[in-house]
Amino acid sequence: MSLISPACRDALQHWLDSLSALAGRSENTLIAYRGDVVEFLLFMTLHHAERHGLKALERITVSDMRAWMADQRGADVSARSLARKLSAVKSFYRWLAEREGFEPTAVLSTRAPKFTKKLPRPLAEDAARAMIDTVELQSTSDWVAARDVAVVTLLYGCGLRISEALSLTGADAPLPATLRIVGKGDKERVVPVLPAAREAVDRYLKLCPHPQAQDRALFRGVRGGPLNPRAIQGVMAKARMQLGLPSTATPHAMRHSFATHLLSAGGDLRAIQELLGHASLSTTQTYTAVDTARLMEVYNRAHPKA
């Protein structure tokens, strides 16, 4: 950061503060944006062999943008990652141009590289059930095993993100028939809680040796602190090795499985969007592509004329 002028650093921080206050961006998103823009500013400083102030940023050209993108691709940055970085830079420039009153066309007109969007990688229904059963066998401690099963059941049964499941507190127990979840961008949604998920959490609470408090994390680590998501990632990694599942069988894959299995059973796309907390229906629509791909796979494998 020492190569970036104080004025640029201040502008960057003000932009991030505005995203936090007005747009409700998460802390992880802000950290990623900061890293992307700082990396861009450092490149421009070295590219022009001078420390960039705000006035220098106003003079960035199309040629400069091409040089930056070529540098990124030369460093083996994927097209997807570069598109994300460019999006952050454009967002910063759009805000800065309005604030400083300059024309940002050179930056905003830069086209993102094309890439194929990755489809979600859900588990098959029997594999999702086997994952929950196998997770329980990974710990010699009954309460830890019950805890891991409860978390993974919530991911699959309610379509929660791992961060959402681990943000539950003692005030949420015993789990009601519906949960009010605050997800990405502080978007609030209500999700139904299956009896199997409530029972799994109740069993964990009965076995957990750490006293519960309304303002403390519902799911605890071995020493009593809030459960780290890496613990669930680790136990699922062990389970998938035993089951012979691919590396894509992660906690987030259980959320993908929730959505895909609902859609396969005839679930309404709009309802699934609400259950997942997606801001845009286009995000949820990726699951229709997954379902179509699965149907074609079954067709090609089973139809006598395929």
Side-chain angles (χ1 to χ4, degrees):
M1 287 288 280
S2 62
L3 294 176
I4 300 174
S5 73
C8 285
R9 289 201 300 270
D10 290 344
L12 175 58
Q13 188 57 53
H14 289 156
W15 170 62
L16 292 170
D17 290 343
S18 71
L19 289 179
S20 177
L22 302 178
R25 295 290 193 271
S26 70
E27 186 64 27
N28 287 340
T29 298
L30 296 178
I31 291 171
Y33 281 1
R34 177 193 291 275
D36 291 338
V37 175
V38 165
E39 191 178 78
F40 172 80
L41 295 176
L42 287 174
F43 172 83
M44 288 301 168
T45 295
L46 297 172
H47 183 60
H48 291 284
E50 61 176 349
R51 190 159 76 163
H52 262 46
L54 293 181
K55 290 298 180 183
L57 292 182
E58 297 176 17
R59 297 192 297 270
I60 286 179
T61 66
V62 172
S63 177
D64 293 330
M65 293 302 295
R66 288 173 178 164
W68 171 65
M69 294 187 73
D71 176 78
Q72 293 292 299
R73 296 309 298 268
D76 289 332
V77 174
S78 69
R80 178 186 296 272
S81 296
L82 182 51
R84 188 207 70 217
K85 290 172 184 283
L86 179 61
S87 176
V89 169
K90 284 184 175 182
S91 178
F92 172 63
Y93 255 79
R94 192 176 292 110
W95 174 88
L96 187 64
E98 291 177 1
R99 185 170 181 264
E100 298 294 323
F102 67 88
E103 179 54 56
T105 302
V107 173
L108 299 187
S109 64
T110 303
R111 292 186 179 182
K114 294 182 179 180
F115 61 90
T116 303
K117 290 186 177 181
K118 291 182 179 178
L119 291 178
R121 300 291 297 275
L123 303 179
E125 291 183 32
D126 57 348
R129 289 192 293 268
M131 174 61 77
I132 294 173
D133 293 340
T134 309
V135 158
E136 187 173 15
L137 306 175
Q138 305 310 307
S139 177
T140 56
S141 170
D142 288 344
W143 82 267
V144 171
R147 177 201 68 191
D148 295 343
V149 168
V151 173
V152 177
T153 302
L154 281 173
L155 303 183
Y156 179 54
C158 301
L160 301 188
R161 300 177 177 91
I162 182 70
S163 59
E164 294 168 347
L166 299 190
S167 69
L168 297 176
T169 67
D172 295 306
L175 295 189
T178 59
L179 272 176
R180 192 169 296 276
I181 299 295
V182 178
K184 284 186 175 180
D186 290 332
K187 183 176 174 61
E188 192 174 275
R189 70 188 191 274
V190 175
V191 298
V193 182
L194 297 176
R198 291 202 297 273
E199 291 166 8
V201 172
D202 287 344
R203 180 168 178 265
Y204 153 69
L205 290 173
K206 287 177 183 177
L207 295 174
C208 181
H210 305 294
Q212 290 293 324
Q214 289 207 336
D215 60 345
R216 297 197 63 184
L218 178 66
F219 294 109
R220 307 290 190 82
V222 174
R223 297 182 180 179
L227 179 61
N228 192 304
R230 286 193 292 271
I232 301 301
Q233 292 164 356
V235 76
M236 283 192 63
K238 292 179 182 177
R240 71 173 176 249
M241 289 180 66
Q242 293 183 20
L243 293 169
L245 296 174
S247 60
T248 52
T250 62
H252 205 63
M254 300 303 284
R255 173 175 156 89
H256 291 326
S257 303
F258 163 85
T260 306
H261 298 165
L262 278 181
L263 186 64
S264 298
D268 177 74
L269 198 61
R270 283 285 184 187
I272 295 171
Q273 177 192 2
E274 289 297 319
L275 290 172
L276 292 173
H278 286 161
S280 170
L281 184 63
S282 62
T283 305
T284 317
Q285 283 174 328
T286 58
Y287 293 102
T288 63
V290 172
D291 198 46
T292 301
R294 185 187 64 80
L295 288 173
M296 289 304 298
E297 181 183 342
V298 171
Y299 174 87
N300 290 327
R301 186 175 65 246
H303 196 281
K305 296 292 186 180

